[in-house]
Amino acid sequence: MKSVCIVDAHVVTAYGGGLDPLWDGLVSGRSAIAPVTRFRVDGYNPKIAACVDLAPAPPGESLLPQLLERLLSGLGPVPPDSRLLTATTKAGIDLIEGERRGLPADLGAILPDQLLAWVRGRYGLRDGGYNVNAACASSTLALARGASLIASGAADAVLVCSLDLVSEFVFSGFAALQALSSEPSRPFDRRRNGLSLGEGGAALLLMSEERARRDGRQSLATLLGWGVANDANHVTAPARDGCGLIQAVRQALGRAAVPPAAVVGISAHGTGTVYNDLMELTAFAAVFGERKLPLHSVKGAIGHTLGAAGGIEAALVTRMLAQGVMPPTVGCDEPEAGADGQVSATVTSLPGGLLLSTNSGFGGINAALVLGKGER
Amino acid sequence: MTAVLLGLGWVTPGGMGAARNAGGFALGGGELPEIERRDIFNDAYQRFGRLDRFSRLGLAAITFALRDARLEEWQEKRAIGIIASTRLGCLVTDIDYFDGVIPEQGRLASPNLFAYTLPNCFLGEAAIRFGLTGSNFIVSGRAGDPLLSLRLGLESLAWGEEEIVVVGCCDLDAPPALADFAGEDPGAVFAVLARSSADGYGTISTDGADGVRFNDIPLEGWSELVWTALSSCS
């Protein structure tokens, strides 16, 4: 099996474009979750989310191309022979909001193949590519597929682009599900009461070690293991025993051929809902036992970016590995009983070793990645 | 990459069924049948009434495929994956959902319908119903690539990620707002593939490029796979 390197990673979040603003925002402890001004929220409660500073879309157009442009403008060169995977849950769903209110709009642009065409066109990629939709685990699963393509020798460069918008469509749905937090979300905190939506994207370029060396690309991190599993339990709620996440993490460790002891920290899904966070603590305890591993969630800072979450978090993990520290979990002041000593409101030193990154989503899906430090 | 075809199931304008109990198969123009719980299940599967049309379509075809492969019954959860391709996804459900948001500024939004605005949720329904704990996800590629999920399923088997995978396609009729897509084939067809098995209809393989073959016959789409498999049954 070939080694899989992450040779480029760029993100766009409500903090701005790039890993630097994200890292600085997290270290500052300031949440980017703020009142929504993009669409009318008087019918909804709460009224907050973490939106990227985008200009209003022209009538009949989506904000997605603008978000994509922000994302790709920060990415380095992409070889035209790269395979392409995108990950979005609702792509340009904001188009539907005007169209159903009688405004002209081309609903065809909602479909993921439009997103694929934009990315292909920008880099002249020969691969047709495909979009992965596995709810909030979409980009983690896309990274896993991309890694398998490289590990198996089927490809030696894969671009994984993930993004999702904050739209009235999605905001109204999570409000109807009563899943939104009344204040910026508090992952793993005793007082957490729901999630905050976020918007953003991540673009990661994966290469085989040989290709990275040949192209003179620096490895930011190595993707050593990955796993995906379904709870087969409930469509919108996590399995309380964490069965699917446990299976996904064990697969990822198995593929990396490392014991649980090799993992020194976890970038968790950490949505801030009561049941998700408890499920994750249960699963991590089942895999790692009594070890109190440093645990992080980014979602109190930039909200839950849905299909983009795993991509943004994997990019952030590359920075954690490089810096040897884990940034604060913004919003967590009083950790949940099972997270005592694991989730911190301050920067935490990480000993040398591997990091685990996990995501879970509607439909009962769970995905896990094991990442190691790159060569600098 | 090769796999054994264990089962086939479908819902098309021509009818619904499975290869060993061939119902009408006619992937092409026409209206899809309304799918009722009793068309698929004998038990009182109460969740079925909550499902949107897209989920009913996909769940029905997956059920027929697993039944055809004799994998419907289970005692313990199984690591079987599902990969479904779609062009339009659950856009019809998206429209229905958002039409319920508009009148009262979201106060009447349906939480149940919102859950099904994620196209992968019917895969979760199938996972629950049949105890499937493998990887499952929706894929959308560019037009003219109908066998994308079949190729990805073969990859999963070759990479050792699954022993058995259910692959297929699922699309409702295009809504009026997407008139450009009218005329594309509505329906769902799913196939159960195993890395190895003594049973089955034959062998599915890739030809090194993007092509897929069944019993060495090149396939251009799902219809050819079903017709070739049916001819091998007769």
Side-chain angles (χ1 to χ4, degrees):
Chain A
M1 300 295 270
K2 295 190 174 183
S3 298
V4 183
C5 304
I6 298 174
V7 300
D8 201 357
H10 187 67
V11 300
V12 176
T13 68
Y15 285 127
L19 274 170
D20 288 343
L22 173 58
W23 188 264
D24 293 346
L26 294 174
V27 171
S28 77
R30 176 184 61 84
S31 174
I33 299 165
V36 173
T37 57
R38 179 174 296 168
F39 48 84
R40 285 181 62 186
V41 289
D42 32 320
Y44 308 116
N45 202 11
K47 306 174 193 302
I48 53 173
C51 296
V52 175
D53 182 23
L54 300 174
E61 294 185 19
S62 169
L63 285 168
L64 197 69
Q66 198 182 149
L67 182 61
L68 180 67
E69 176 56 31
R70 290 270 189 99
L71 177 62
L72 298 184
S73 65
L75 192 69
V78 175
D81 64 337
S82 301
R83 300 287 291 268
L84 172 63
L85 280 79
T86 61
T88 180
T89 62
K90 296 308 297 177
I93 192 65
D94 53 339
L95 279 173
I96 214 171
E97 297 162 8
E99 197 274 342
R100 300 314 293 171
R101 289 185 167 111
L103 302 174
D106 172 14
L107 282 192
I110 282 184
L111 305 178
D113 59 357
Q114 182 65 66
L115 172 62
L116 287 164
W118 287 328
V119 180
R120 270 199 314 267
R122 184 181 180 102
Y123 296 110
L125 302 182
R126 294 191 280 276
D127 181 38
Y130 61 90
N131 184 73
V132 172
N133 194 334
C136 302
S138 296
S139 45
T140 318
L141 206 149
L143 284 165
R145 293 293 300 191
S148 283
L149 280 168
I150 290 174
S152 67
D156 58 6
V158 179
L159 176 63
V160 179
C161 271
S162 57
L163 65 171
D164 261 318
L165 295 169
V166 168
S167 61
E168 184 184 359
F169 183 99
V170 172
F171 196 91
S172 65
F174 278 98
L177 286 168
Q178 300 185 317
L180 296 179
S181 173
S182 53
E183 55 183 347
S185 65
R186 295 179 167 278
F188 298 111
D189 191 280
R190 293 170 196 268
R191 295 165 296 165
R192 69 189 183 281
N193 67 0
L195 60 86
S196 298
L197 286 172
E199 171 173 89
L204 292 99
L205 182 62
L206 312 182
M207 280 188 178
S208 65
E209 196 174 11
E210 298 85 346
R211 177 66 183 265
R213 195 179 304 119
R214 197 163 71 236
D215 286 9
R217 304 296 292 256
Q218 184 182 55
S219 172
L220 307 177
T222 51
L223 189 40
L224 298 163
W226 48 93
V228 184
N230 196 287
D231 294 331
N233 178 73
H234 197 282
V235 169
T236 56
R240 293 195 182 195
D241 63 1
C243 56
L245 183 56
I246 293 169
Q247 190 179 329
V249 172
R250 287 185 172 149
Q251 281 176 20
L253 293 169
R255 184 174 287 273
V258 297
V263 174
V264 298
I266 303 170
S267 170
H269 193 45
T271 60
T273 65
V274 171
Y275 292 114
N276 173 81
D277 293 6
L278 267 185
M279 177 279 286
E280 288 192 88
L281 293 174
T282 301
F284 297 143
V287 176
F288 298 105
E290 297 297 309
R291 292 177 65 215
K292 291 287 188 183
L293 289 173
L295 188 63
H296 183 260
S297 168
V298 77
K299 294 184 177 68
I302 61 166
H304 186 349
T305 53
L306 306 176
I312 292 171
E313 288 153 21
L316 183 61
V317 165
T318 66
R319 181 61 65 92
M320 293 185 202
L321 287 162
Q323 303 269 347
V325 296
M326 183 172 273
T329 290
V330 177
C332 183
D333 302 323
E334 295 178 39
E336 172 69 42
D340 274 337
Q342 290 185 271
V343 184
S344 176
T346 59
V347 173
T348 306
S349 289
L350 293 170
L354 310 180
L355 294 181
L356 176 72
S357 186
T358 67
N359 296 94
S360 303
F362 278 13
I365 195 72
N366 304 271
L369 306 174
V370 173
L371 297 109
K373 195 172 180 179
E375 296 157 8
R376 285 179 177 268
Chain B
M1 290 183 276
T2 61
V4 179
L5 175 65
L6 293 183
L8 276 169
W10 60 80
V11 177
T12 69
M16 54 183 94
R20 285 189 176 85
N21 178 23
F25 178 82
L27 198 57
E31 281 193 21
L32 289 168
E34 286 299 320
I35 304 169
E36 303 295 336
R37 191 260 307 153
R38 61 179 174 276
D39 295 328
I40 314 166
F41 302 115
N42 291 324
D43 61 317
Y45 178 41
Q46 295 189 348
R47 291 192 55 78
F48 194 78
R50 298 166 62 95
L51 305 185
D52 66 325
R53 281 184 63 219
F54 181 69
S55 298
R56 288 183 182 207
L57 176 66
L59 179 62
I62 288 173
T63 302
F64 292 133
L66 286 168
R67 190 173 293 161
D68 196 46
R70 300 186 175 97
L71 287 168
E72 184 182 16
E73 305 299 326
W74 59 286
Q75 300 296 321
E76 293 185 1
K77 291 180 182 179
R78 305 158 291 175
I80 296 175
I82 316 174
I83 305 172
S85 66
T86 182
R87 287 214 68 207
L88 303 178
C90 53
L91 187 56
V92 169
T93 311
D94 293 350
I95 290 171
D96 287 347
Y97 165 75
F98 201 72
D99 284 351
V101 169
I102 294 171
E104 293 290 334
Q105 282 293 310
R107 293 181 186 90
L108 300 179
S110 163
N112 179 65
L113 201 52
F114 177 67
Y116 294 100
T117 64
L118 279 168
N120 70 309
C121 276
F122 84 84
L123 307 182
E125 296 287 354
I128 296 166
R129 174 78 190 181
F130 302 111
L132 311 180
T133 62
S135 169
N136 59 43
F137 56 101
I138 294 285
V139 290
S140 301
R142 60 179 167 185
D145 190 8
L147 297 175
L148 172 62
S149 64
L150 198 52
R151 290 201 312 277
L152 298 185
L154 288 168
E155 283 181 350
S156 293
L157 296 172
W159 294 340
E161 295 183 351
E162 318 281 359
E163 292 293 324
I164 298 176
V165 63
V166 183
V167 297
C169 60
C170 184
D171 266 303
L172 292 170
D173 310 272
L178 270 179
D180 290 351
F181 289 79
E184 296 212 4
D185 298 344
V189 184
F190 279 86
V192 181
L193 308 182
R195 199 186 305 177
S196 62
S197 173
D199 299 325
Y201 294 102
T203 303
I204 294 192
S205 57
T206 52
D207 64 7
D210 276 353
V212 181
R213 292 168 175 265
F214 176 60
N215 287 344
D216 261 345
I217 300 167
L219 299 177
E220 288 189 4
W222 287 95
S223 291
E224 287 169 301
L225 174 61
V226 173
W227 288 121
T228 312
L230 287 176
S231 68
S232 75
C233 295
S234 56

